[in-house]
Amino acid sequence: MDHPLIDLINAKIQAAEAEGAFDNLEGAGKPLPPCDDPENAVLHRILKDNGAVPEIVSLSRELSRLRAELREATDRTDRRRIIQDMSMLEARIEISRKRG
């Protein structure tokens, strides 16, 4: 069963083609770039364009930030909190690695 809006979508595309909206587009006539995962290519592009990164990358960045914070910290209580936070992040990184 087709989506209820498919006819409307097709009509809009045909109207845009008739008006020349697709003429002279960048890359016209060139092959598409290779894609390892065509089913999820749009999703991956949207994630990349919006700065999304794998969990392990964001956790590693946070761990680096905490290490820098620890080097600057002089208060014993702050240092203890930072070390605890680092320990939790290291555990989360290890779990993330095991998940693959």
Side-chain angles (χ1 to χ4, degrees):
M1 181 175 158
D2 285 338
H3 191 280
L5 295 176
I6 200 74
D7 292 333
L8 176 63
I9 293 168
N10 286 331
K12 293 282 187 181
I13 291 171
Q14 289 173 355
E17 284 177 334
E19 294 169 3
F22 302 121
D23 295 344
N24 302 318
L25 292 176
E26 182 181 338
K30 296 179 183 173
L32 293 173
C35 182
D36 295 336
D37 186 9
E39 290 182 4
N40 294 310
V42 173
L43 172 64
H44 291 303
R45 190 185 83 229
I46 290 169
L47 291 172
K48 181 181 174 189
D49 290 350
N50 288 288
V53 294
E55 180 183 30
I56 195 162
V57 173
S58 63
L59 292 173
S60 296
R61 287 177 182 168
E62 178 65 11
L63 184 58
S64 293
R65 186 193 66 75
L66 285 174
R67 285 182 178 141
E69 188 178 333
L70 181 63
R71 284 190 294 273
E72 301 295 321
T74 56
D75 182 68
R76 191 176 199 148
T77 305
D78 288 342
R79 291 180 61 81
R80 185 177 295 125
R81 177 195 52 81
I82 294 167
I83 290 169
Q84 287 174 342
D85 291 348
M86 288 173 60
S87 179
M88 290 299 293
L89 274 174
E90 287 167 348
R92 289 179 62 195
I93 288 170
E94 189 60 32
I95 290 169
S96 181
R97 282 190 180 127
K98 287 181 181 177
R99 276 189 271 166

